[in-house]
Amino acid sequence: MKALLLVGGFGTRLRPLTYTRPKHLLPIANRPHIEHVFDLLRRHGIHEVVLLTSYLGDEFAPMVAAAKERGMAVDVAHEPEPLGTAGGIRNASHLVTGTFLVFNADVLTAADLGAVVEFHNARRALTTIVLTPVEDPSAYGVVPTSADGRVLDFIEKPPRSEAPTNLINAGIYVMEPEVLERIPADKPYSAERELFPGLVAGGERVFATGTHAYWMDIGTPRKFLQANYDALEGAFPTDAVGAGAGAVLADAVVAAPGARIAASARVSCSCLGRDVVIEDGAAVERSVLFGGAVVGNNATVVESIVGEGAVIGAGVSVVGQTVADGSKIQTTQ
Ligand code: GDD
Ligand code: MG
């Protein structure tokens, strides 16, 4: 079975980090996020992937090469202008060979894909949508279902008070190739706002099944950080921590090769990229530092993302910030 991965969004909520790279390449436990998606697919015996690229699509090339080396078959269907989540799927029609999976590939999850496909086949569904419970459904697609799992409605990002359930679209679908015929060609079309509501209104066999496995959309700084904490602390099960990600130190810290931490510095629940330097007396807590970042003497970095090569000056305190690549912070924010 093939998996189509939607990776063409602008990642606006993660700017400035996403001015130069798609959010799917931001590091979770020191590995590009999308590699965790590949791991999940491989664990389920899925070795054929189609990347649905648009914004900064070329940035995926090294990752594609690495995945091929590891035995995955990777195709790319590129949209010079973004075609929306359904338009992107349609744009890969020529690569679809049978029942297929679709992923919002900004989602970090341990969902049981085999169980989802089994559910889909048992219901003879046209489309199956995976659901996950969240506390505030207003930032997601809200999906009420009947007792047997039939989708009754698809309401994208309703006001919180109007959400009929806290079960939301996890951004994982199983689809039959016939779905492709319901998507207009060569124009932007949304899965959430057009395709799914249209299929439901037309009485098509759209079903949904829940997962209680780990699930997190990494699309905002807060959730990107949380995904990293969860990988470090084991809530998201990954063998990446300690393997390709670099040395694992005490206090849920992963440090890539070349990272240097002064003996008098304190670091906890954080990911340090290649060649990061933490100088004397500095404190780094619940943060993600990209390669080459420097935290100066007695500086403090808490619940922040520090971009590539950024320098946090001596004595400066950075709390709850996203620091752009290459910037030099000389005063407390
Ligand atoms: N190829 C392509 N083309 N990909 C796109 C496009 C496009 O035009 N637009 C968005 N994507 C990709 C994004 O890069 C991301 O991986 C995925 O599609 C979802 O887009 P987001 O922009 O992250 O959407 P969202 O998080 O606000 O909402 C979506 O995901 C939620 C779950 O995390 C919706 O599907 C919601 O219904 C869902 O609950
Ligand atoms: Mg998202």
Side-chain angles (χ1 to χ4, degrees), residues 170-190:
I172 303 169
Y173 321 119
V174 187
M175 292 184 171
E176 294 303 311
E178 291 75 55
V179 172
L180 299 167
E181 296 155 22
R182 316 297 168 88
I183 307 172
D186 302 323
K187 68 169 207 173
Y189 204 68
S190 162

Side-chain angles (χ1 to χ4, degrees), residues 6 8-9 23-24 52 79 84 104 106 141 156-157 169 192 217:
L6 284 157
K23 63 179 157 182
H24 317 81
L52 311 180
E79 303 148 48
N104 282 353
D106 63 338
E156 184 67 6
K157 304 191 176 119
N169 168 27
E192 299 84 353
D217 173 322

Side-chain angles (χ1 to χ4, degrees), residues 28-32 35 39 70 238-248 254-257 272 274:
I28 305 292
N30 277 357
R31 291 174 74 211
E35 287 192 9
D39 282 357
R70 294 169 73 191
T238 172
D239 49 18
V241 174
V248 183
V254 58
L272 312 182
R274 278 181 180 272

Side-chain angles (χ1 to χ4, degrees), residues 101-184:
L101 272 162
V102 177
F103 259 80
N104 282 353
D106 63 338
V107 155
L108 184 71
T109 183
D112 181 347
L113 304 179
V116 175
V117 172
E118 226 171 79
F119 172 96
H120 173 87
N121 290 337
R123 302 293 148 114
R124 290 176 296 104
L126 178 67
T127 293
T128 296
I129 301 173
V130 177
L131 306 181
T132 188
V134 293
E135 208 184 283
D136 176 8
S138 65
Y140 303 98
V142 178
V143 186
T145 57
S146 65
D148 67 342
R150 192 139 192 166
V151 172
L152 301 174
D153 204 353
F154 193 108
I155 316 151
E156 184 67 6
K157 304 191 176 119
R160 192 169 185 172
S161 59
E162 286 171 29
T165 164
N166 73 333
L167 288 175
I168 59 103
N169 168 27
I172 303 169
Y173 321 119
V174 187
M175 292 184 171
E176 294 303 311
E178 291 75 55
V179 172
L180 299 167
E181 296 155 22
R182 316 297 168 88
I183 307 172

Side-chain angles (χ1 to χ4, degrees), residues 188-205:
Y189 204 68
S190 162
E192 299 84 353
R193 296 183 193 275
E194 296 175 284
L195 176 64
F196 295 144
L199 292 178
V200 172
E204 299 282 3
R205 295 184 68 79

